[in-house]
Amino acid sequence: MTGESGPKQPARFVVVGIGADGWSGLSARARAALDEATTVYGSARQLDLVAEHLTADTVPWRSPMSEHLREVLCDSSAHGTIHVLASGDPMFHGIGSTIVRQVGRDRVTIVPAPSSVSLAAAELGWDLASTTIVSTVTAPASAVVPELGDGIRLLVLSRDGSTPAEIAELCRAHGYGWTTMRVLENLGAATQAVRTGLARSWDDRPCAPLNITALDCVGPSSSHCPGLPDEAYEHDGQLTKQTVRALSVSALAPAAGQLLWDVGAGAGSIGIEWLRCTRDGRAVAFEADRLRAAALRRNAEKLGVGHRLTLAGAVPEALAGAADPDAVFLGGGVDRDVLDTAWDALMPGGRIVGNAVAIETQHLFIDAQERYGGSLTRLSVERAAPLGRLTAWRPALPIVQWVAVKDDAAREDT
């Protein structure tokens, strides 16, 4: 009687980090892993570095690589062990993290090499523990902007050879022209080189595609605290002013990994400063006016958070297609239906903040406080301004602010 074999186990993945120095820079463990390989995936450049040492079949990634990788990871007919080459440390902005998320930790073995930032820090003599890392591989170069600050050291993972010139332009535009820039090209390879200069006079010739840009920032001091000057925003008057904006964003209590709904966003200042408070927060800005939405997009990109902000249309229609938020800000264009829809979508433990100038909207928030709880605060701000040859206090319109934290058990059915 012929025995039946059990079901085949799904494929396992071995992810091997490799530097620009190729086979010679691999550890004994990494070489042993590749010696055992039957199929190796990697970029054409990576495969060329080790091709003469492999007996395995090699498969270069097709473009776009993300789709090809998805096919490999989701191939239910694949069995045995599949090897994948990764740049440097696969778990640092690398393909290793993607594979683990997709198939689970138990099916993945990681064999790391030094990351590009480790090599850069060693070359520069910088302490990585006190150095800020920014990646423009999956984000625009403007992601650097919120991290600029006098005395700050940044290592920027470049998308390609044009990224350093983009960074230099951003430094100049935001007052950091005297920042020292060093572009470290082909780290670890025989062709390794370092280009040094000031952002204000940076040579815009393309660098090697494999590079890291190091910034030793000189310019204005910087803070992620809310309350940027009103002049930082392009607007048509629909702008939450600086003092009230700082109080409102603080009331929203931004936290890592959260999603904000900015309803009636206007110039986008609340959502933008929410995003500046965390490095991985996201926001959906709901704005019906086309011209305001365009200005909002420009504001977000100028201030370095455009890649984490999604523009949506008018409420309440656009609310239905948005992911459930961790926090909600209610600005312009709010009625009871919009408020209740936002409250119902808000995640348990989430915070909602509403600002009202008009008496009708103030009554809406007073009613909401009675139904959902929370606190009501009346904010009055006065600024010193000229009065002829003298100075007087000029009051702004008072604002009623409603703040509540959602507790499903305490919600009143309506």
Side-chain angles (χ1 to χ4, degrees):
M1 179 176 175
T2 304
E4 295 183 1
S5 60
K8 291 184 177 180
Q9 297 298 311
R12 290 188 52 80
F13 295 87
V14 177
V15 187
V16 179
I18 186 170
D21 49 359
W23 187 264
S24 64
L26 292 177
S27 66
R29 182 186 174 205
R31 292 185 185 184
L34 292 175
D35 284 339
E36 297 173 355
T38 56
T39 303
V40 179
Y41 288 84
S43 69
R45 178 188 62 82
Q46 291 167 338
L47 292 172
D48 285 345
L49 291 173
V50 296
E52 64 180 290
H53 302 278
L54 297 181
T55 58
D57 294 331
T58 58
V59 184
W61 296 116
R62 299 191 309 269
S63 181
M65 175 193 161
S66 57
E67 290 185 8
H68 192 183
L69 175 61
R70 191 176 304 113
E71 291 176 16
V72 173
L73 298 180
C74 297
D75 183 2
S76 60
S77 65
H79 302 285
T81 301
I82 296 172
H83 288 68
V84 177
L85 293 179
S87 295
D89 185 345
M91 303 304 290
F92 181 75
H93 294 283
I95 195 173
S97 301
T98 303
I99 296 174
V100 169
R101 282 195 303 269
Q102 181 68 38
V103 306
R105 177 67 187 92
D106 292 344
R107 289 173 56 194
V108 186
T109 299
I110 304 293
V111 185
S115 68
S116 54
V117 297
S118 293
L119 295 174
E123 179 68 26
L124 296 165
W126 286 8
D127 177 9
L128 270 182
S130 58
T131 300
T132 301
I133 313 298
V134 179
S135 174
T136 65
V137 176
T138 56
S142 59
V144 169
V145 172
E147 307 300 337
L148 296 172
D150 191 54
I152 299 295
R153 284 179 165 177
L154 297 177
L155 286 176
V156 184
L157 308 181
S158 296
R159 180 188 296 270
D160 54 35
S162 66
T163 303
E166 293 182 64
I167 293 171
E169 183 178 354
L170 288 166
C171 287
R172 294 191 292 267
H174 290 270
Y176 295 89
W178 289 100
T179 292
T180 297
M181 292 181 54
R182 298 178 181 86
V183 178
L184 298 93
E185 303 174 301
N186 299 321
L187 279 167
T191 55
Q192 176 174 317
V194 180
R195 291 172 57 178
T196 302
L198 295 175
R200 67 195 303 268
S201 56
W202 184 256
D203 180 352
D204 288 347
R205 289 177 301 165
C207 300
L210 291 178
N211 73 81
I212 283 187
T213 302
L215 302 177
D216 212 338
C217 296
V218 177
S221 58
S222 180
S223 169
H224 291 174
C225 293
L228 291 175
D230 294 345
E231 294 74 23
Y233 295 96
E234 174 187 345
H235 64 91
D236 63 357
Q238 289 296 105
L239 176 74
T240 303
K241 299 302 190 290
Q242 182 181 25
T243 302
V244 174
R245 186 188 331 126
L247 292 170
S248 301
V249 175
S250 296
L252 286 163
Q258 291 193 339
L259 172 67
L260 169 75
W261 280 8
D262 186 358
V263 180
S269 62
I270 295 291
I272 288 169
E273 297 198 27
W274 157 280
L275 292 171
R276 284 172 55 88
C277 287
T278 73
R279 300 188 69 184
D280 60 355
R282 295 168 297 126
V284 181
F286 299 90
E287 176 52 58
D289 186 279
R290 180 178 57 83
L291 294 178
R292 286 177 185 162
L296 189 161
R297 170 59 63 193
R298 290 191 292 272
N299 286 331
E301 291 176 351
K302 179 181 73 172
L303 293 169
V305 297
H307 59 295
R308 294 190 281 132
L309 183 144
T310 300
L311 267 173
V315 296
E317 297 82 8
L319 298 177
D324 290 348
D326 302 288
V328 175
F329 177 74
L330 301 174
V334 178
D335 57 23
R336 177 165 174 149
D337 287 343
V338 169
L339 188 152
D340 287 346
T341 299
W343 179 266
D344 288 340
L346 185 64
M347 298 291 285
R351 301 176 70 86
I352 189 166
V353 175
N355 287 354
V357 175
I359 292 175
E360 292 80 2
T361 312
Q362 292 178 3
H363 287 165
L364 176 70
F365 289 154
I366 292 170
D367 174 68
Q369 192 268 342
E370 293 176 351
R371 293 185 295 127
Y372 298 128
S375 62
L376 289 167
T377 305
R378 193 167 186 262
L379 305 174
S380 298
V381 178
E382 299 182 7
R383 292 184 178 276
L387 180 65
R389 290 180 295 175
L390 303 175
T391 304
W393 293 106
R394 299 286 188 184
L397 291 172
I399 290 172
V400 169
Q401 183 177 88
W402 171 53
V403 180
V405 176
K406 183 173 182 179
D407 178 358
D408 279 350
R411 187 190 187 283
E412 175 185 326
D413 292 331
T414 57

